[in-house]
Amino acid sequence: MSLYQISCIRDIGQSIREITVYNQEAVVNPSPGAHFKWYIPELCSWRHYSCVLLPSQEKELTFAMKLNPESPSSQYLMSLREGEYVEMEGPFNHFPEKIASKNGRNIVIAGGIGITPLVGIACHINKSAGNVDFHYFSTNMQQAIYAPELAELFGERLFLHTKDSPSISLSKLLGKLTLSDRIHLCGPPRLLKAVFEYCDNEQFPRNNIAFELFTPSSSSKGEKEPSYEVEAVQSGIIFRVLPDQTLLDALEKAGLDPLYDCRRGECGLCALQVIEGEIDHRDFIMTKQEAELGQVIYPCVSRAKGMRLKLEI
């Protein structure tokens, strides 16, 4: 854990606050797409925020956060003032950089606050390969943070899509994908699901897509989650997953030690074999065909469809 001093705070969009910090003891050079953990004293826990890495930034670190006045973490961020110190850990990076081969396209797709990690990634790919098509989806131009800076960097290869813009289909946006193409994607679940569905239909390999979800997946119906029973066969333990728990949390509380990393259904490290039971898949790793097999669950986000699961752990 390190202390960083706040050098600048400004509001750059509706409910979006930019906070710039620096470390007086060391120069930190995060890689494109990296994030830091911010300690939230009121919660005694951490929240993850991506760095906005523009070429003009050197010694300082800039973050742009979407704020929710009802959230304790947002309330803490709103209370901060220039000159104060924050506790942070990092950098960390779960966002792989995939540069297209000579004949391929580098396609970057950002939705809303998902722009934050993609700024640095797109700038680095543009510098290395020089052929980035940058698609940026935002509610309106006022919410399209960093659009002027990106327009200066990418020119006509930056495409801004707002509710006021003419509608554009993914088939028109992505066109015919080839094995040489690479996609970098970050945004809300609806955007990720749409892009993955299109790519699956085009038989475009998911290994060619680097992605990050900025909002954890949740129940599609918005209803309270039902509890269910889990049997960990190898460990001989039976326990319940409560409505406000993830399966991963429940596994840990039961004294088990599952592997995990991102806790957002992106990295695939927490995969468990399912012996019996139906799965409500909420990850962004498996194709539709793989999910239908019902053999693997990612416990950080996915749950049981029924009242019981039997797992190999």
Side-chain angles (χ1 to χ4, degrees), residues 23-277:
N23 189 324
Q24 293 178 327
E25 299 179 355
V27 176
V28 183
N29 294 306
S31 56
H35 68 273
F36 282 74
K37 295 196 301 185
W38 286 52
Y39 185 68
I40 311 298
E42 287 78 0
L43 299 175
C44 297
S45 64
W46 302 86
R47 293 293 182 268
H48 298 242
Y49 298 103
S50 297
C51 294
V52 182
L53 297 176
L54 288 163
S56 58
Q57 293 171 307
E58 295 180 359
K59 297 182 180 180
E60 296 183 316
L61 301 173
T62 295
F63 302 84
M65 295 94 154
K66 181 75 171 176
L67 302 177
N68 175 3
E70 298 181 3
S71 163
S73 56
S74 291
Q75 291 169 9
Y76 168 70
L77 295 171
M78 289 187 288
S79 74
L80 294 172
R81 298 293 180 265
E82 293 178 3
E84 294 182 345
Y85 290 85
V86 293
E87 293 178 296
M88 293 166 45
E89 281 190 2
F92 307 95
N93 202 335
H94 304 309
F95 208 144
E97 187 175 270
K98 300 174 180 284
I99 299 180
S101 58
K102 185 176 180 181
N103 297 322
R105 294 177 296 160
N106 290 296
I107 303 168
V108 175
I109 306 173
I113 201 66
I115 189 69
T116 52
L118 289 176
V119 169
I121 288 174
C123 288
H124 187 256
I125 295 175
N126 195 47
K127 184 178 180 180
S128 303
N131 63 334
V132 175
D133 288 335
F134 202 140
H135 294 273
Y136 184 3
F137 290 85
S138 180
T139 305
N140 51 53
M141 289 302 298
Q142 290 71 36
Q143 291 294 91
I145 58 174
Y146 304 113
E149 293 89 340
L150 294 172
E152 186 174 340
L153 290 166
F154 295 94
E156 294 181 353
R157 303 198 82 156
L158 174 68
F159 305 93
L160 285 171
H161 310 286
T162 68
K163 288 184 177 179
D164 298 328
S165 305
S167 60
I168 181 170
S169 64
L170 283 176
S171 60
K172 186 175 181 180
L173 187 152
L174 295 174
K176 182 64 179 176
L177 294 167
T178 72
L179 295 179
S180 299
D181 296 334
R182 297 293 183 271
I183 296 174
H184 287 80
L185 169 67
C186 186
R190 185 173 62 176
L191 176 63
L192 267 68
K193 287 177 181 177
V195 172
F196 279 129
E197 183 177 337
Y198 180 85
C199 291
D200 289 345
N201 290 336
E202 287 286 306
Q203 297 184 325
F204 185 70
R206 292 205 174 189
N207 285 338
N208 287 6
I209 306 172
F211 70 96
E212 192 169 73
L213 177 72
F214 73 79
T215 302
S217 189
S218 58
S219 172
S220 59
K221 297 180 181 179
E223 299 172 352
K224 186 177 180 180
E225 304 280 11
S227 63
Y228 58 95
E229 185 178 87
V230 174
E231 180 181 353
V233 174
Q234 292 175 324
S235 304
I237 296 174
I238 297 176
F239 59 92
R240 293 199 70 78
V241 181
L242 302 177
D244 59 349
Q245 279 184 314
T246 65
L247 173 53
L248 181 57
D249 290 337
L251 285 162
E252 291 183 308
K253 189 170 183 179
L256 301 174
D257 190 24
L259 292 174
Y260 66 87
D261 190 0
C262 75
R263 301 186 80 102
R264 296 192 298 264
E266 299 171 9
C267 70
L269 189 61
C270 66
L272 294 174
Q273 293 294 315
V274 177
I275 299 171
E276 186 180 300

